[in-house]
Amino acid sequence: MVPHIRPAQLDQWLQDCARHAPGVTPIVLDVREPWEVAAASVRAEGFELKHMPMASIPARLHELPRDRPIACLCHHGGRSAQVAYFLHRQGYEDVVNIAGGIHAWAMERDPGVPQY
């Protein structure tokens, strides 16, 4: 089972990560297509932001460290949920899905993020 967090809960997730793995920087994995990232993106504050389109993940799995917490992000949360489940099935233990995606991010965390 992969947990789902809302963008408004990200700060709490980051704090939990810091308690469980001090000194380890969590990853927000943006699985949207390049044109989507160009249209709207988030600022990396307290985490590393990685962009990998969903279809590229199986071939690029080696680029994702297994020892760092990963929160998956897409437009509304569907693709990122699929990627989070895939990562979990591949043995990644600390993975969450950001429910509502960047759309909810713009409403809950940063109204400066364009909606599309």
Side-chain angles (χ1 to χ4, degrees), residues 7-89:
Q9 298 169 306
L10 187 70
D11 290 335
Q12 182 62 51
W13 179 75
L14 292 169
Q15 290 174 7
D16 292 345
C17 291
R19 273 196 301 279
H20 291 76
V24 175
T25 303
I27 296 170
V28 170
L29 179 62
D30 190 333
V31 302
R32 296 175 301 139
E33 295 298 316
W35 71 266
E36 293 178 282
V37 173
S41 191
V42 302
R43 288 183 304 227
E45 296 176 358
F47 56 87
E48 178 185 350
L49 181 63
K50 284 188 176 273
H51 297 109
M52 283 188 198
M54 180 180 177
S56 74
I57 302 257
R60 297 178 64 188
L61 199 56
H62 65 279
E63 296 177 39
L64 295 173
R66 292 179 184 272
D67 61 345
R68 290 172 61 190
I70 299 174
C72 299
L73 175 73
C74 69
H75 190 193
H76 289 289
R79 286 175 287 174
S80 56
Q82 291 177 31
V83 169
Y85 289 124
F86 172 78
L87 293 176
H88 183 71
R89 286 190 308 270

Side-chain angles (χ1 to χ4, degrees), residues 1 53 61 91 98:
M1 179 79 174
L61 199 56
I98 300 176

Side-chain angles (χ1 to χ4, degrees), residues 78-115:
R79 286 175 287 174
S80 56
Q82 291 177 31
V83 169
Y85 289 124
F86 172 78
L87 293 176
H88 183 71
R89 286 190 308 270
Q90 301 305 310
Y92 288 78
E93 295 181 11
D94 198 355
V95 179
V96 300
N97 178 51
I98 300 176
I102 196 165
H103 182 79
W105 190 291
M107 295 177 359
E108 297 176 15
R109 286 188 66 83
D110 186 354
V113 172
Q115 295 187 34

